[in-house]
Amino acid sequence: MPAPERIPSRSLTAAEQLTLLTLLTKGELTVLGRIREASNAVLYCTVAYGDESVECVYKPVAGERPLWDFPDGTLAQREVAAYEVSLATGWDLVPPTVLRDGPHGEGMVQLWIEPVEPAEQEAGLLALVEGEEPGEGWKAIGFAEVDEGRTALLVHADDERLRRLAVLDAVINNGDRKGGHLLPAPGGRLYGIDHGVTFNAADKLRTLLWGWAGEPLTAEAVGALKGLAEALRPGEPLAVRLGGLITSVELDAVRSRVAALLAAGVHPSPSGEWPAIPWPPV
């Protein structure tokens, strides 16, 4: 069997997306180990189909811990729904993701992204700085305690890739955008992962990417949102696919969030009714 392939440094073409989705859906899953740091069962695997093989992550539904504010056994579907919405924006922010059967039952299978080493990144995404101003090229998140009695300002990069991800998170109502869910990949690409806590009909947006709160959406973001609004109309392929992954109430809430973003024309701000920053933040 050939060695597992790595994801290209450029954005995937539609044909490449389809090839990877076929491989992830139909290939034979082989579990190599478990990622211990995750709160739910996350298995590191290879998936092989014909002469092709790639590394992937498999999250079986049976390994999901119950949450008080989400129906049991639905996190895998939400991960796939996040990929579908990301794909519809054209931003390629979520690795190819499918719902399928596996060695431990039905679950989410997602292309493994090998992150680049910090020294190889062109710039950092998160930092702690002294003082009350983020500095040029950074956006403030909030103050964090770094030592007993001492705080520093937590900041994220003023980066167009993060800004796109902030828009996507607002659409899918991401309740857990941590720093560890940001994966810089070769070629300057950036992926977001771990989208199980998404698509709740109630406002659950909790993220590190608040730096653009209240600022106008970019023209690119407005265009992507307009495209999403069309793709989410009843009967459209995206709406049909999402309808098989989340509830009708949650799908209507996605439409409402897209419409609200377009009407406001700005990035959302914390509501004050829900913790705005996940814990731990990284």
Side-chain angles (χ1 to χ4, degrees), residues 9-218:
S9 59
R10 54 179 168 73
S11 294
L12 296 173
T13 66
E16 288 168 336
Q17 291 274 2
L18 181 59
T19 297
L20 282 168
L21 292 176
T22 301
L23 174 57
L24 293 173
T25 302
K26 297 184 177 181
E28 180 180 357
L29 275 175
T30 300
V31 177
L32 302 179
R34 180 170 180 175
I35 300 173
R36 298 290 180 181
E37 296 81 3
S39 56
N40 295 311
V42 181
L43 305 177
Y44 175 63
C45 307
T46 59
V47 58
Y49 184 65
D51 294 330
E52 301 294 330
S53 175
V54 293
E55 296 158 313
C56 64
V57 170
Y58 166 44
K59 297 183 182 180
V61 172
E64 295 178 4
R65 294 184 181 181
L67 298 173
W68 68 268
D69 51 350
F70 285 84
D72 292 350
T74 67
L75 303 190
Q77 291 95 316
R78 295 169 193 278
E79 295 248 29
V80 179
Y83 165 70
E84 291 283 357
V85 173
S86 167
L87 187 64
T89 64
W91 287 335
D92 201 12
L93 295 170
V94 178
T97 311
V98 302
L99 189 69
R100 57 161 290 176
D101 194 28
H104 300 285
E106 185 179 64
M108 177 277 275
V109 174
Q110 184 176 82
L111 183 70
W112 174 265
I113 302 300
E114 190 71 36
V116 299
E117 295 296 328
E120 298 175 5
Q121 296 180 31
E122 69 279 10
L125 299 176
L126 299 169
L128 287 167
V129 300
E130 301 292 338
E132 299 184 357
E133 296 298 327
E136 185 176 357
W138 297 93
K139 291 285 188 179
I141 302 169
F143 288 95
E145 183 173 337
V146 292
D147 292 315
E148 187 173 346
R150 188 173 74 88
T151 60
L153 185 63
L154 180 61
V155 298
H156 66 68
D158 187 2
D159 186 304
E160 65 176 8
R161 301 169 302 173
L162 291 181
R163 192 164 190 169
R164 291 168 182 158
L165 200 55
V167 175
L168 176 66
D169 283 345
V171 170
I172 67 176
N173 197 16
N174 193 346
D176 195 33
R177 175 60 74 202
K178 296 177 180 176
H181 301 166
L182 305 173
L183 293 186
R189 297 179 62 187
L190 177 71
Y191 283 102
I193 60 169
D194 285 349
H195 295 105
V197 188
T198 51
F199 293 101
N200 201 303
D203 180 15
K204 298 285 185 180
L205 185 57
R206 189 165 60 166
T207 175
L208 284 178
L209 305 180
W210 288 115
W212 298 280
E215 293 188 16
L217 296 168
T218 64

